[in-house]
Amino acid sequence: MSSVIVMGAQWGDEGKGKVVDWLSDRADYVVRFQGGHNAGHTLMIGNEEYKLSLLPSGILRKNKMAVIGNGVVIDPTALLNEMAGLQKRGVAITPDNFMIAENAVLILPIHSLIDKAREQLRGVGKIGTTGRGIGPAYEDKIARRAVRLCDLTDGAELKKQVSALVAHHDIFLKTMNIDYPSVDAMTDELLKQAKIILPFVKPVWRELDKADEAQKKILFEGAQGLWLDIDHGTYPFVTSSATAAGNAILGSGLGAAFNGYCLGIVKAYATRVGSGPFPTELLDATGELLGQKGREFGTVTGRKRRCGWFDAVMVRQSCKIAGIHGLVLTKMDVLDGMEKLMIGIGYDIDGKQYDYLPASPALQCRAKPIYEEMAGWQESTRGTRKFRDLPANAVKYVKRLEELTTRPITLLSTSPERDDMIMVEDPFVMANR
Ligand code: GDP
Ligand code: IMO
Ligand code: MG
C-alpha cells in the first residue's frame, strides 16, 4: 500500500495544489477529503495558470483518477462551472477519470446567503469567511438535515428534503430580509444539474478499496491548513472541517490510508487570509514586501493575504497534532535577497514563555513572538532543482527549520512552475517503508 496525504501546516495557501499536481505524476488516484470551493489551488503548467477549487489537482494529468470524497461539501453550480471551464481548455473530465462520493453533502444557494448574513451580523468580530456557504452546509450535515448527492435521483423525495431544509432556515432568512430561491426553483435546478453530475457519482469508499487492493498509489489532497482546523485551529477563526490528515480516512472512506506518509506543506514564511490571531504577522514594510514578492492575494476571494515570519512553534504543533512525517517547503525564492530572516521559536504571553500556542483566543491574540535571527541569502533560488545548488545560507535556513519543527524537509518548491521542485526524498517510497 502506498498512500500519501498532503495537508497544509499553516493557515492554507501553502502551495498544496502545486505539490499535489507535481506528486500526482507518481500517483494513480488523487482524492479531496474535506472543505469545498473555499479552497483555491493554483497550478502553473508552462505558461498556463489553472485555479482549482473543488476538483482535485490530479485532474490535469492524464490517466489519473480524480476523486471527491464524502467529506467535501459540494456546490453543484460551482462544480459544474469549474468542470466546464477546464473542459473548455481541453481538459478531459469523464467518469473514467473523475468520481464523486454518493454520500457527499450539497451546498445549496441558501447556504451562501446565510454565510454572508452571519458575517454581516458579526461586524468587527467577523471570521472573514469566503462567503461560499461552507460553514452553514457542514452545520446542516451534522444536524442531519443536509441534502446529499445520493438524494438527487428521486425528484419527489428531493423536493421534500429541500423543503424541510428551507423550513429550518426560513426564520433567519426572513428576519434578515434575505430573498432566496423558492423550494421549487432550487429543486428544479438540482434536478437539471443532476443529469450532468450523477454519472460521476459512485460509492467512493468501494472504488478506493479496490484501488488499494490493486496496490494503486493514492494521493490525498487536503484543503486549508491545520491552523484553520475546526478542533485544532485558531477557533473560532477557522473553517468548518477537520483539515488534519486523519480526516483523509473519514472523508474518503479508505481506512487503509492510516499506513501512509503524511506531508505537511509550509511556506518559507507565513500568510493568513481572513481574521484571527497571527503572532508572527508583519504589519510593516517587510510584510508588504513578502506580500508583493509572493503575490499574496487569495485565489478564491482576491483578498490581500496577511504576511509574517515563519512560525516554527505553530508548524511543530501541526506536525505533532496531525502526524506529519515530513515537510514540503514552498516559496523559498520569495525570501531571496532578504538581509535577515526571523523565525518564531516561542511566545511571550503576559510575561510567561510558551513553547506551544494555547487554545484561548484571548491568549493567542496576546502572544508576542520570540524570534531567532538568521542571515538571509542574496543569490536567486528561483527555479533551483538540486539541493546542492542552493546558497549556503538557504541550506542553513532549511536545516534550522528541520531542527525546530522536528521534521525533515523532504521536498522544496522554488517557483510556481510545475517542475521547479527539489526532491530530497520520494514520499511514495517513504510511504512503503
Ligand atoms: P494552496 O491553496 O495551498 O494550493 O496554495 P495557493 O495556490 O492558494 O497559493 C500558493 C501560491 O503560490 C500559488 O499562486 C502558487 O502558484 C504559488 N507558488 C507555489 N509554490 C511556489 C514557489 O515555490 N514559489 C513561488 N514564488 N510561488 C509558488
Ligand atoms: P486553501 O485550500 C486560506 C479561511 C477563510 C476564513 C476561514 C473560514 O486554498 O488553502 P470558510 O469560507 O472556510 O468558512 O472561511 O478560513 N479559508 C482559507 N484560507 N486558504 C484556504 O484554502 C481557505 N479556505 C478557507 O479566509 O478565514
Ligand atoms: Mg489556496
Side-chain angles (χ1 to χ4, degrees):
M1 166 195 342
S2 192
S3 57
V4 171
I5 302 173
V6 165
M7 63 166 282
Q10 293 161 319
W11 279 289
D13 303 327
E14 298 91 347
K16 298 175 293 293
K18 169 178 168 168
V19 173
V20 170
D21 169 61
W22 188 81
L23 279 172
S24 63
D25 192 28
R26 295 170 146 71
D28 301 302
Y29 284 66
V30 183
V31 187
R32 277 281 307 267
F33 56 90
Q34 47 71 232
H37 65 314
N38 50 348
H41 299 171
T42 308
L43 322 180
M44 279 300 294
I45 302 171
N47 291 326
E48 294 279 317
E49 188 179 62
Y50 294 90
K51 289 178 188 289
L52 303 176
S53 273
L54 262 172
L55 291 168
S57 298
I59 196 80
L60 297 177
R61 296 212 187 244
K62 291 203 169 72
N63 303 320
K64 310 289 170 191
M65 180 57 88
V67 182
I68 295 185
N70 55 277
V72 175
V73 281
I74 300 170
D75 179 328
T77 307
L79 175 68
L80 291 176
N81 284 342
E82 196 171 325
M83 286 168 68
L86 286 182
Q87 282 165 330
K88 233 186 254 165
R89 295 173 73 178
V91 179
I93 306 179
T94 71
D96 289 333
N97 72 339
F98 177 47
M99 60 173 146
I100 320 170
E102 57 183 3
N103 46 347
V105 158
L106 292 175
I107 299 181
L108 302 191
I110 50 170
H111 289 128
S112 159
L113 295 170
I114 295 167
D115 192 356
K116 288 177 190 150
R118 290 220 191 110
E119 281 286 88
Q120 211 185 326
L121 282 178
R122 285 186 191 109
V124 286
K126 71 174 195 271
I127 293 165
T129 72
T130 58
R132 303 225 153 164
I134 306 294
Y138 275 120
E139 286 171 33
D140 280 342
K141 172 179 177 171
I142 298 301
R144 296 163 292 187
R145 56 175 170 257
V147 179
R148 301 186 301 167
L149 274 171
C150 53
D151 301 323
L152 296 182
T153 51
D154 181 334
E157 272 307 308
L158 178 67
K159 192 170 165 183
K160 277 193 220 159
Q161 278 181 290
V162 173
S163 179
L165 191 65
V166 166
H168 175 82
H169 292 294
D170 186 60
I171 295 176
F172 177 74
L173 289 164
K174 286 232 171 82
T175 311
M176 295 293 292
N177 269 329
I178 295 169
D179 282 335
Y180 60 91
S182 68
V183 170
D184 280 345
M186 278 194 276
T187 310
D188 290 349
E189 184 62 19
L190 282 173
L191 289 172
K192 252 191 254 160
Q193 293 169 327
K195 290 198 181 111
I196 312 176
I197 295 175
L198 283 175
F200 295 94
V201 175
K202 300 202 175 129
V204 154
W205 67 270
R206 200 158 176 263
E207 299 294 324
L208 290 180
D209 185 54
K210 278 193 253 171
D212 190 52
E213 289 280 316
Q215 307 209 322
K216 299 288 184 200
K217 290 181 178 169
I218 302 173
L219 176 61
F220 290 93
E221 176 176 11
Q224 292 84 48
L226 193 277
W227 289 95
L228 290 171
D229 180 273
I230 187 73
D231 283 283
H232 299 287
T234 46
Y235 191 93
F237 302 98
V238 293
T239 191
S240 297
S241 66
T243 62
N247 198 21
I249 289 105
L250 300 175
S252 70
L254 182 69
F258 273 117
N259 296 321
Y261 190 82
C262 177
L263 271 181
I265 318 303
V266 287
K267 267 181 208 181
Y269 46 102
T271 63
R272 165 161 214 173
V273 55
S275 330
F278 183 174
T280 61
E281 182 171 16
L282 289 165
L283 297 166
D284 58 6
T286 309
E288 280 292 316
L289 184 71
L290 287 174
Q292 274 167 26
K293 287 181 73 181
R295 297 173 184 243
E296 297 296 354
F297 292 91
T299 313
V300 172
T301 54
R303 287 176 294 175
K304 202 170 166 183
R305 295 175 184 151
R306 300 153 65 191
C307 296
W309 294 119
F310 189 94
D311 188 336
V313 183
M314 291 187 92
V315 173
R316 184 172 61 227
Q317 203 163 323
S318 299
C319 291
K320 297 195 189 264
I321 288 170
I324 290 169
H325 297 102
L327 295 170
V328 181
L329 191 68
T330 64
K331 301 194 118 171
M332 278 281 282
D333 53 295
V334 175
L335 299 182
D336 292 351
M338 308 273 288
E339 206 178 305
K340 59 176 189 184
L341 303 170
M342 301 297 218
I343 308 173
I345 56 163
Y347 307 111
D348 178 311
I349 307 176
D350 304 331
K352 193 174 152 199
Q353 292 206 357
Y354 286 76
D355 64 358
Y356 72 99
L357 192 68
S360 152
L363 293 185
Q364 289 180 350
C365 283
R366 295 204 296 277
K368 290 195 196 78
I370 300 167
Y371 283 123
E372 180 174 298
E373 186 178 321
M374 290 195 78
W377 55 91
Q378 301 313 305
E379 303 91 329
S380 169
T381 63
R382 199 172 166 95
T384 305
R385 294 187 186 180
K386 292 204 175 85
F387 196 82
R388 64 166 182 268
D389 292 340
L390 288 176
N393 280 355
V395 172
K396 278 190 199 154
Y397 186 66
V398 170
K399 294 286 166 205
R400 188 65 186 134
L401 296 189
E402 288 185 326
E403 279 168 12
L404 289 167
T405 59
T406 69
R407 293 297 187 272
I409 290 175
T410 55
L411 294 163
L412 293 100
S413 167
T414 54
S415 96
E417 171 56 36
R418 177 183 257 181
D419 291 316
D420 287 338
M421 293 284 281
I422 299 173
M423 184 162 71
V424 183
E425 268 169 324
D426 183 336
F428 279 108
V429 172
M430 301 295 286
N432 274 326
R433 279 206 188 140

